[in-house]
Amino acid sequence: VSGADISHSSVQEYLGYASGGEGQAGVRLALTLLDRGASIEDVIVNLLGAAQREAGKRWMLNTWSIADEHLVSGITQRALDAVANSMAPPASGSLVVVACAEGDWHSLPAQMLAEMLRSHGFATAFLGASTPVEHVTSIMSRLRPDAVAVSCNISLYFSGVTRLVDAAHRQGIPVMAGGRALGNDPKRARRLGADAWSGDIDSAVSILRGWQHDRPEIPSEPTQFDPAAMLLQVSASEIAASALSFLAKAFPPLESFEPDQLDRTREDLACITRFAAAARLVDDVTVLTEMLDWLRMLLAGRGVPPSAVAAGLEVLAPLIGRIDPQAAQYALDAIN
Ligand code: B12
């Protein structure tokens, strides 16, 4: 069974079971594919991962509710555990702590990585969703891992990556970073202080194996960021509240919004501001532009036109500029 076979029909079959709440059938499908010769990696990436990404798309387009996504993710958790339990015990090779960036609740992608590393002979300690960095610090001093792998799935948690990187570095441990928020090349991960970035399991395995013989040099100083960007991050709610009061002029339909719609609009404005701050942390405007593309699609699925996003950026830019002019420029550039 090749990856291509899995992605075509099995994902649909799996999604059918999972969205119908048929957990056992979904788990059985994953295990049957393994029995028929698919690799652990194939089942994780091309069945369970593909199903999860599809669930995300359906939620974004508003064809699935949050409940549909939770139902499927719960079954994927069971299938992932079953796949993990089918593996031989880990080799006594090097130990990798796998954690989510603090704030990030997407434990499934991180656990997928942990199980794939285990299938390649690494011992792993998987710490689940958003673990406070002080607690990761104490477990690192107890377990003395050879490396840390941090998963970041939404750019809002970039500073969580860096807090973990700095904590691991204080103990002389190298950190590899990955996950969908870190993009398609090492730039963002490097800027957040990580020693390496990886976008797939093969390169992750070769980097970690390389580190067994040749450890990267660990920086002695913590990662530095522009203080303006840091301040912007913590000021987002305040900025969003002021922006909302100016928005009605730029976007007249706002006047007839219900209170809960106004609340959600304020949250979206805060979210745009936080992504602008995240873009600044890694000096990469695409962090903001990708989020805006996503937001336009999300809002379109809920009947809100793209002009609402443009209006939001127009009112946000001057308010953001009082704290961080560079971020304001990012917001202005993103209007068109
Ligand atoms: C399930 C899910 C959730 C669940 C998570 C459950 C769990 N236990 O994991 C819950 C409900 C908690 C959740 C919450 C939210 N979510 Co969510 N979620 C998802 C969903 C549908 C699937 C996640 C998943 O299982 N992915 C599966 C794997 C296969 O994803 P993957 O990225 O390909 O991962 C692989 C690689 O990246 C790699 N990898 C991952 N980490 C690392 C690390 C290293 C070192 C390496 C080498 C590799 C590596 O390995 C993985 C396996 O191949 C995604 C959609 C998606 N595309 O992922 C949205 C998604 C990530 N969520 C999204 C959003 C918006 C949210 C919320 C903000 C929603 C809200 N308004 O509350 C919150 C944020 C919560 C938080 N603080 O983190 C958006 C993010 C959009 C954006 N602009 O960034 C997405 C993309 C959905 C969408 N299409 O809009 N979510």
Side-chain angles (χ1 to χ4, degrees), residues 44-45 49 52-53 55-57 59-60 69-70 73 77 103-110 112-113 116 149-155 157 176-180 198-200 204 275 291 294 298:
I44 290 180
V45 175
Q52 286 300 104
R53 286 187 290 271
K57 204 187 288 167
W59 167 76
M60 180 181 71
E69 172 279 305
H70 282 14
S73 296
Q77 178 70 69
D104 190 341
W105 283 88
H106 295 86
S107 61
L108 277 167
M112 287 178 181
L113 171 75
M116 289 192 283
V150 56
S151 173
C152 184
N153 300 281
I154 302 191
S155 309
Y157 312 116
M176 178 170 60
R180 60 182 296 288
S198 169
D200 61 67
F275 271 88
M291 177 274 180
W294 165 82
L298 182 103

Side-chain angles (χ1 to χ4, degrees), residues 230-254:
M230 304 287 283
L231 182 61
L232 182 61
Q233 203 176 27
V234 296
S235 314
S237 309
E238 224 174 287
I239 290 177
S242 321
L244 190 67
S245 60
F246 298 115
L247 188 61
K249 220 168 140 212
F251 185 67
L254 196 79

Side-chain angles (χ1 to χ4, degrees), residues 156-180:
L156 298 174
Y157 312 116
F158 279 168
S159 31
V161 173
T162 298
R163 279 198 298 278
L164 187 53
V165 165
D166 290 347
H169 284 175
R170 280 195 292 276
Q171 298 193 25
I173 305 168
V175 182
M176 178 170 60
R180 60 182 296 288

